[in-house]
């Protein structure tokens, strides 16, 4: 559904994106992670054919995003991080206008989404809060039942209750075999929804895979309590002491656990807990590496 090959973009001397190779198959929810300025929105503008690439190319459904945008757009719905709507139209009028421009919309599903997102449909856009304007975009996009949904910071301005409604709607889209490209810096949202994740740093894709794959390559966190003073674990291969608090140690372990277990066996361990890294820890690990 999405393919990029050596995709890059410079604005003057500023590198916004470099050497992006990405494949997103049908029916997948792909999370695109990075802080502000990492290149997420630039990527989306290139995918939509809004900006010409400096290098490489982007394809949607096998169509060149820059040279064949009209054919590609007929199968795409897009939500921007900053709603730009017509202030004098009501939400309902906006839905009707966008449906006519696109050539149709699932009206029954749109009605369901209006209720789910608790949107006042007869209020003019100028009178809507930022969160409600974002709901207008989301409802219009999901009601198209488009094959590919490209969402740029889609929950900006939504309260926690509406974030739950958004997640429910994304899951429904996936069940219909729609593809979702979700650009976000909200790690819990990506962790809850996405099949695969790409991490962008300073315009470069620094890691990509399923959460299981990313966790396998990242450090495991262990917390160990001892009956007496915690020993020094300096020199144990793959072990980094994150916190030392008297009788307790918090460790990050990469690679095999066997060397650490051998050392711990020589000391009076009271308790030991181990957990896989969260997406937040994986993300921060990449950014600490690059700092």
């Amino acid at each position: 559904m999405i393919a990029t090959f050596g995709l890059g973009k410079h604005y003057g001397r500023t590198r916004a994106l470099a050497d992006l190779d990405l494949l997103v198959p049908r029916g997948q929810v792909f999370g695109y992670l990075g802080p502000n300025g990492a290149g997420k929105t630039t990527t989306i503008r290139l995918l939509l054919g809004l900006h010409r690439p400096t290098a490489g190319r982007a394809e949607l459904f096998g169509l060149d995003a820059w040279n064949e945008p009209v054919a590609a757009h007929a199968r795409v719905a897009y939500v921007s991080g900053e709603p730009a709507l017509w202030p004098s139209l009501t939400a309902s009028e906006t839905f009707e206008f966008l449906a006519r421009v696109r050539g149709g919309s699932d009206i029954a599903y749109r009605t369901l989404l209006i209720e789910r997102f608790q949107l006042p449909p007869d209020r003019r856009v100028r009178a809507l809060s930022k969160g409600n304007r974002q709901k207008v975009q989301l409802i219009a996009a999901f009601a198209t039942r488009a094959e590919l949904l490209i969402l740029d910071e889609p929950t900006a301005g939504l309260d926690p209750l509406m974030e739950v409604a958004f997640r429910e709607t994304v899951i429904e889209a996936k069940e219909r075999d729609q593809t979702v490209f979700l650009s976000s810096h909200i790690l819990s949202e990506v962790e809850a929804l996405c099949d695969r994740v790409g991490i962008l740093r300073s315009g470069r894709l620094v890691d990509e895979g399923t959460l299981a794959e990313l966790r396998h390559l990242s450090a495991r966190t262990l917390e160990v309590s001892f009956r007496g003073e915690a020993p020094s674990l300096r020199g144990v291969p793959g072990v980094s002491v994150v916190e030392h608090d008297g009788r307790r140690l918090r460790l990050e372990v990469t690679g095999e656990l066997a060397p650490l277990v051998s050392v711990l066996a020589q000391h009076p361990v009271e308790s030991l807990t181990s957990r896989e890294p969260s997406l937040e820890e994986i993300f921060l690990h990449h950014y600490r590496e690059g700092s």
Side-chain angles (χ1 to χ4, degrees):
M1 302 297 277
I2 295 174
T4 67
F5 307 92
L7 189 63
K9 181 64 181 177
H10 281 72
Y11 298 99
R13 295 184 179 180
T14 302
R15 184 192 71 191
L17 192 70
D19 301 319
L20 179 66
D21 293 311
L22 198 62
L23 291 172
V24 180
R26 179 181 296 276
Q28 190 173 91
V29 181
F30 185 88
Y32 200 49
L33 274 177
N36 294 334
K40 302 189 306 297
T41 298
T42 296
T43 302
I44 286 174
R45 288 171 178 162
L46 294 170
L47 291 176
L48 293 173
L50 301 176
H51 290 187
R52 183 195 291 269
T54 307
R57 71 182 192 278
E59 294 181 357
L60 302 181
F61 322 105
L63 301 169
D64 187 285
W66 176 254
N67 292 314
E68 302 172 273
V70 175
H73 289 178
R75 301 161 67 182
V76 175
Y78 165 61
V79 171
S80 74
E82 292 294 331
L85 301 169
W86 300 272
S88 60
L89 296 183
T90 65
S92 291
E93 289 168 344
T94 303
F95 295 142
E96 289 301 324
F97 176 72
L98 290 173
R100 289 185 182 186
V101 168
R102 180 178 173 79
S105 179
D106 186 333
I107 296 172
Y109 190 52
R110 187 173 73 198
T111 302
L112 183 152
L113 292 177
I114 289 170
E115 292 183 13
R116 177 181 295 169
F117 282 97
Q118 300 175 17
L119 177 73
D122 297 323
R123 192 172 296 174
R124 295 194 185 277
V125 167
R126 68 163 64 93
L128 296 176
S129 65
K130 180 180 178 180
N132 277 334
R133 293 197 303 274
Q134 191 71 356
K135 292 176 190 178
V136 173
Q137 286 199 108
L138 288 168
I139 292 166
F142 281 107
T144 64
R145 303 289 202 180
E147 293 176 61
L148 174 61
L149 293 154
I150 296 179
L151 312 178
D152 190 5
E153 303 289 354
T155 57
L158 297 188
D159 62 42
L161 195 61
M162 293 301 102
E163 288 179 14
V164 172
F166 168 76
R167 293 182 188 188
E168 182 181 353
T169 309
V170 170
I171 290 167
E172 287 175 351
K174 183 182 176 183
E175 289 172 348
R176 287 177 57 90
D177 207 30
Q178 293 170 267
T179 305
V180 181
F181 186 87
L182 172 59
S183 169
S184 180
H185 65 269
I186 301 175
L187 302 175
S188 58
E189 180 176 272
V190 173
E191 192 162 19
L193 290 171
C194 295
D195 303 300
R196 295 182 72 82
V197 175
I199 297 176
L200 201 65
R201 186 182 69 211
S202 302
R204 290 187 180 275
L205 191 68
V206 294
D207 210 347
E208 191 262 333
T210 65
L211 282 172
E213 290 167 347
L214 297 182
R215 284 169 173 152
H216 177 68
L217 296 172
S218 300
R220 178 183 295 270
T221 300
L222 275 75
E223 293 190 3
V224 190
S225 295
F226 298 86
R227 283 200 290 272
E229 182 69 20
S232 170
L233 298 177
R234 222 175 263 171
V236 180
V239 175
S240 172
V241 178
V242 176
E243 185 180 340
H244 184 168
D245 181 17
R247 297 166 47 204
R248 190 177 66 85
L249 292 175
R250 186 156 66 90
L251 315 170
E252 286 187 354
V253 184
T254 55
E256 295 293 325
L257 288 172
L260 174 63
V261 172
S262 296
V263 173
L264 293 179
Q266 302 169 30
H267 299 275
V269 173
E270 198 168 63
S271 68
L272 185 151
T273 59
S274 171
R275 62 177 176 80
E276 292 180 323
S278 67
L279 181 57
E280 180 177 3
E281 288 166 331
I282 295 168
F283 180 77
L284 292 175
H285 169 73
H286 280 292
Y287 273 79
R288 283 198 299 264
E289 268 191 346
S291 61

